[in-house]
């Protein structure tokens, strides 16, 4: 059963309402598959880490909008930080603040996450440190995730940061607009290599790859820099 987010207590188009407070109670739902209708959903404080599988479906890019309305002094913290599988699609995530990450899928528990049909950007003068990161310190990595038709803007550190990912398929567009960088990094965690990655990207200026095996990159003019990479295929 799918839940209408408004029926659960989320409130669109009210810049004084903190939807983080509702997101923090989402584990009380018997079914964690939510539809977010048209509107701007403001998040005035950083939500808690999501620890149960969650599906978030919007009504379309720039129709359903999640807006972070706070600055993030800790660059490693995220608006949507999950340690469980996250499926999120058909919406925009924008920042009305600076710093931090938009989405962080962390650890083995966040394996099989799907980020699809998303637009991640910022209002004029604001930014993200990193719009999206997949990260794991587990020896089994972050496994079998999908990034599909995701547009990334307004980053100051990385547009996409992938650490110890295993079996990733990613199709994204990368833009420097609103930020200070147009690069993506794929790397190991300590001695655990990222492995079995398929990347298709447009408009990305630079891709850094460290200690990664079996990677296929389809790109259009991206400058690829490698160190300790085995099995790289480009087209």
């Amino acid at each position: 059963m799918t839940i209408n987010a408004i029926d659960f207590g989320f409130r669109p188009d009210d810049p004084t309402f903190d939807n983080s407070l509702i997101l923090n109670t989402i584990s009380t739902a018997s079914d964690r598959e939510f539809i977010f209708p048209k509107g701007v959903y403001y998040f005035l404080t950083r939500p808690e880490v999501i620890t149960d599988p969650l599906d978030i479906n919007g009504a379309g890019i720039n129709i359903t909008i999640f807006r972070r309305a706070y600055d993030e002094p800790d660059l490693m913290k995220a608006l949507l930080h999950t340690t469980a599988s996250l499926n999120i699609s058909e919406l925009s995530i924008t920042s009305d603040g600076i710093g931090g990450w938009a989405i962080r899928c962390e650890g083995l528990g966040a394996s099989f996450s799907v980020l699809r049909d998303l637009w991640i950007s910022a209002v004029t003068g604001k930014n993200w440190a990193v719009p999206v990161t997949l990260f794991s310190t587990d020896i089994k990595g972050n496994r079998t995730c999908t990034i599909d038709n995701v547009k990334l803007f307004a980053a100051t550190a990385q547009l996409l940061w992938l650490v110890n990912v295993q079996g990733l398929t990613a199709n994204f567009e990368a833009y420097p607009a609103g930020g200070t960088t147009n690069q993506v990094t794929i790397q190991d965690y300590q001695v655990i290599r990222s492995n079995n990655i398929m990347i298709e990207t447009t408009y990305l200026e630079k891709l850094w790859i460290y200690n990664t095996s079996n990677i296929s990159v389809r790109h259009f003019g991206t400058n690829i820099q490698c160190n300790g990479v085995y099995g790289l295929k480009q087209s």
Side-chain angles (χ1 to χ4, degrees), residues 167-211:
L168 170 71
T169 301
N171 168 21
F172 62 90
E173 296 178 11
Y175 300 90
T180 57
T181 186
N182 188 351
Q183 68 178 35
V184 166
T185 295
I186 305 170
Q187 66 178 82
D188 58 329
Y189 177 76
Q190 296 180 351
V191 297
I192 309 170
R193 303 172 67 87
S194 289
N195 189 39
N196 292 330
I197 299 169
M198 296 179 63
I199 298 284
E200 182 173 350
T201 184
T202 54
Y203 309 111
L204 179 65
E205 290 182 0
K206 184 169 288 188
L207 174 62
W208 298 92
I209 311 174
Y210 301 99
N211 299 328

Side-chain angles (χ1 to χ4, degrees), residues 15-37:
T16 69
F17 184 79
D18 188 3
N19 282 284
S20 294
L21 303 178
I22 309 302
L23 184 61
N24 292 342
T25 68
I26 213 164
S27 62
T28 63
S30 58
D31 190 332
R32 288 178 286 273
E33 183 176 351
F34 290 83
I35 294 289
F36 284 79

